[in-house]
Amino acid sequence: MIVDVNTAVGRWPFSAAQSVTPARLSALLARAGVDLALTSSLDAIFHENPDEDNRRLFRQLRVYKRLLPVPIINPRLAAWRAAVAEWAPRAAAIKIVPSYHAYSLGGANVAGLAAELARSRLPLLVQVRMEDERVQAPALRVPAVPVADVVALAKRHPRLSIVALGTYSREAIYLLEQSPRVRIDVSFLDGLDAVGVLVRKHGAFAGRLLLGSHMPLFYTQSALLKVQTAEATDAVRQAILGRNARKMLGL
Amino acid sequence: MLLYCIIGVASADRLEVCTTTLGAERKTMIIDIHAHFPFGEYSRLEDLDIFLRRARRFHVDRICLSGYVNRYGFNPTARQVREINRWTLQAMGRHPEQLIGFCFLNPAVGADAARREIDWAITRHGFCGIKLWVSVNCRSRKLDPILTAAAELGVPVLHHSSYNTLGPAAPNESTPADVADLARRFPAVPLIMAHLGHARVQGITEIAPHRNVLVDTSGSQPARGLLEEAVRRLGARRLVFGTDLPIRDYASVLGRLYDAPLTGRQRGLILGQNAARLLRLEAP
Ligand SMILES: [Zn+2]
């Protein structure tokens, strides 16, 4: 079973690609052989209060068994607890986009959210970046979340399951070395056989790598090929393609 | 040589990359027009085996080596340029059937030194193209003798190019608009503008009127939609498969080519036929 932990529906305004509906996303992922995907709303990234976007996401995804809705929570809003209470019972994970909702991972509300998710055993997906900063629209530059902040968050909440989405290879190595439990996705990893290189650097890293395509911003095949062609054992590649994610999600 | 569809779904355990053909797609040679060896941690000649193993995994037949361009900073001396090209020659000597040399040049070292390097690499040692990076912006007339030699010898020039929102990576870095200027000055020289991923739609638009410019598929992340947009605006004959290996990987760049909604004919042109034409290789 192949699980993609990093997908979304909607339109990314800076992308040459068209808007992707849930039906289209499901069909494209099916064609690529992805059985299950964690899916968020791109609109929710641009709205300070993503409640309506999350509601629409849950409503739209109901008929697509392949797509598991992942709400985006903005812990900077006073109502974040209500949002978690609303979605936690129905969500496989919660996502945050600190750079787009303009807060750091060090704040009190993030601590509260982290504690709450650790208690309810829900993974927290931290979107480290959405784009290569070098190709962002000149007037709309959004910096990446410093991975040192993810390390610090993980240290403060040792029982919270954290997935950092969108790290570059050098950030990934730092994160995997500094935080023994944080997981990462492969979407932004690059360089010759990036996945194989990480796994050979430290065998234990293999259990913390997850297939994440960053679809619809990125082509799904790029992420799949990184894992499928990694110089590693079949067991390791199977784990990264799906087993690690299933374990994390309790599936 | 290969049958070039890579679709992850097809195999039973979904680990193996399937190499069956899709309907209209034909056999084609795959040529990576843009790679660097030695480079960074891949500095020993034996490390070349890692590159070739990776290429085999993706059915890539030929790799063009542009040299260890940043080994001596942005502005290498003539002697350092020769050393870089000598490493390329060493690699070519080890795998002559697979590796193709691009002669790295620094226009700042002067016309005579550049000409000596071109004679040594292209005329004497069979390099098939010229690589220019960031030492001199390509609007400079310092490039003129090099482009004149390229026209005379009939070899393509692979030129670095980028739009970088964070600012230029080097003081004289060329943008697609600069490459368009070079193309206008030398319409008879085939130019390969590196990094579609950094040109973005703006850069594609700028070089579009200059039919002697092709764009390689490397650069940045596998941003969905960009490749098909480039094909729509330029035509598939003006794109060439290039990775920037080992900075980027075949997984990322071929993933773009296999995922984008292109026809088999378009894919074949981009994967190898356009490059074979430019490099005057035997048709597969
Ligand atoms: Zn390069």
Side-chain angles (χ1 to χ4, degrees):
Chain A
M1 184 189 228
I2 295 187
V3 183
D4 184 342
V5 301
N6 183 0
T7 73
V9 289
R11 166 146 171 75
W12 187 251
F14 315 107
S15 165
Q18 300 292 308
S19 179
V20 171
T21 61
R24 178 113 178 97
L25 179 68
S26 181
L28 287 171
L29 291 174
R31 200 186 69 182
V34 174
D35 302 288
L36 204 61
L38 300 187
T39 306
S40 297
S41 153
L42 289 178
D43 284 345
I45 294 173
F46 296 100
H47 296 152
E48 195 173 23
N49 185 342
D51 277 355
E52 265 317 305
D53 305 302
N54 290 331
R55 262 178 221 128
R56 193 176 322 111
L57 178 79
F58 273 77
R59 210 167 44 235
Q60 289 182 329
L61 262 50
R62 227 171 11 217
V63 291
Y64 300 100
K65 294 282 160 280
R66 196 180 309 279
L67 310 178
L68 297 181
V70 171
I72 290 179
I73 301 283
N74 182 357
R76 221 165 57 109
L77 299 180
W80 71 263
R81 271 184 200 282
V84 172
E86 181 177 359
W87 302 120
R90 292 187 276 156
I94 299 286
K95 187 183 282 188
I96 56 173
V97 288
S99 297
Y100 288 83
H101 286 160
Y103 58 88
S104 90
L105 290 178
N109 285 7
V110 173
L113 174 64
E116 184 65 37
L117 296 184
R119 223 184 344 267
S120 45
R121 293 170 188 262
L122 267 187
L124 176 66
L125 313 187
V126 180
Q127 192 75 50
V128 168
R129 63 169 55 74
M130 290 297 288
E131 299 173 300
D132 177 344
E133 290 77 16
R134 298 171 301 168
V135 304
Q136 286 185 326
L140 296 159
R141 294 163 55 172
V142 181
V145 174
V147 284
D149 292 2
V150 180
V151 170
L153 181 71
K155 221 166 241 152
R156 290 193 296 273
H157 302 275
R159 297 190 34 215
L160 174 65
S161 175
I162 298 175
V163 183
L165 300 175
T167 57
Y168 289 134
S169 285
R170 90 193 104 75
E171 294 169 331
I173 291 169
Y174 173 78
L175 204 49
L176 293 168
E177 281 175 346
Q178 298 296 314
S179 298
R181 295 191 59 241
V182 171
R183 297 176 175 89
I184 60 155
D185 82 333
V186 304
S187 59
F188 277 74
L189 299 182
D190 216 335
L192 194 147
D193 190 16
V195 170
V197 165
L198 273 186
V199 170
R200 285 196 298 279
K201 196 167 194 78
H202 203 310
F205 289 174
R208 297 196 278 141
L209 300 184
L210 307 172
L211 173 72
S213 68
H214 205 42
M215 170 76 178
L217 279 78
F218 289 1
Y219 295 107
T220 314
Q221 285 297 334
S222 294
L224 276 171
L225 285 173
K226 279 180 211 177
V227 184
Q228 288 167 325
T229 66
E231 276 199 26
T233 63
D234 282 4
V236 162
R237 288 184 285 159
Q238 292 283 20
I240 300 170
L241 283 175
R243 200 173 330 113
N244 291 342
R246 282 166 58 201
K247 190 173 153 202
M248 176 183 80
L249 298 168
L251 297 173
Chain B
M1 196 77 58
L2 81 150
L3 307 167
Y4 57 79
C5 106
I6 295 195
I7 299 291
V9 258
S11 64
D13 66 354
R14 294 178 179 171
L15 282 176
E16 291 312 315
V17 173
C18 140
T19 54
T20 54
T21 43
L22 281 176
E25 306 194 3
R26 292 167 296 130
K27 274 187 166 188
T28 196
M29 187 191 277
I30 298 190
I31 303 169
D32 179 358
I33 201 92
H34 185 170
H36 302 276
F37 182 90
F39 196 87
E41 64 206 274
Y42 302 97
S43 56
R44 302 163 315 151
L45 208 48
E46 303 88 82
D47 295 334
L48 204 46
D49 297 341
I50 302 171
F51 277 48
L52 292 172
R53 202 162 63 232
R54 197 76 186 139
R56 254 196 316 279
R57 188 80 178 82
F58 287 89
H59 311 284
V60 173
D61 301 284
R62 302 281 186 93
I63 305 175
C64 299
L65 298 179
S66 277
Y68 196 166
V69 292
N70 64 352
R71 175 65 183 84
Y72 295 112
F74 296 147
N75 200 16
T77 64
R79 190 191 292 264
Q80 289 167 336
V81 166
R82 172 59 59 88
E83 193 180 355
I84 290 165
N85 287 324
R86 218 184 268 287
W87 291 328
T88 300
L89 182 64
Q90 254 178 19
M92 290 159 66
R94 205 161 149 123
H95 298 280
E97 333 68 42
Q98 282 130 302
L99 301 180
I100 293 168
F102 269 54
C103 171
F104 172 57
L105 293 173
N106 175 5
V109 301
D112 292 345
R115 185 69 219 203
R116 271 197 300 279
E117 200 58 27
I118 288 171
D119 289 340
W120 179 83
I122 296 175
T123 313
R124 187 156 150 224
H125 290 296
F127 284 47
C128 291
I130 290 171
K131 161 76 179 189
L132 296 171
W133 193 45
V134 296
S135 55
V136 176
N137 185 284
C138 66
R139 287 183 192 261
S140 164
R141 295 302 181 263
K142 286 181 185 163
L143 269 74
D144 291 6
I146 295 173
L147 273 283
T148 304
E152 190 186 300
L153 295 166
V155 295
V157 176
L158 171 60
H159 205 298
H160 171 91
S161 128
S162 173
Y163 276 122
N164 189 333
T165 302
L166 304 178
N172 296 326
E173 185 174 44
S174 301
T175 66
D178 299 329
V179 172
D181 182 81
L182 182 66
R184 185 186 50 75
R185 280 157 37 216
F186 292 93
V189 178
L191 296 178
I192 303 158
M193 180 170 89
H195 311 143
L196 172 64
H198 292 292
R200 297 177 276 163
V201 176
Q202 181 187 347
I204 298 168
T205 316
E206 283 160 346
I207 55 99
H210 306 283
R211 303 202 56 85
N212 55 321
V213 185
L214 291 83
V215 186
D216 86 29
T217 56
S218 73
S220 190
Q221 296 289 335
R224 203 168 143 268
L226 188 59
L227 184 60
E228 48 268 47
E229 184 66 16
V231 169
R232 200 176 67 75
R233 288 174 187 254
L234 302 173
R237 289 189 177 273
R238 292 181 61 189
L239 285 146
V240 270
F241 170 57
T243 56
D244 224 349
L245 198 73
I247 303 161
R248 300 285 161 204
D249 185 44
Y250 290 121
S252 169
V253 183
L254 277 174
R256 308 172 198 196
L257 266 149
Y258 292 123
D259 222 342
L262 303 173
T263 65
R265 188 193 131 268
Q266 290 171 326
R267 241 176 235 128
L269 287 166
I270 300 169
L271 284 170
Q273 288 158 21
N274 293 336
R277 194 176 69 236
L278 281 184
L279 301 169
R280 301 175 181 194
L281 302 179
E282 289 290 308

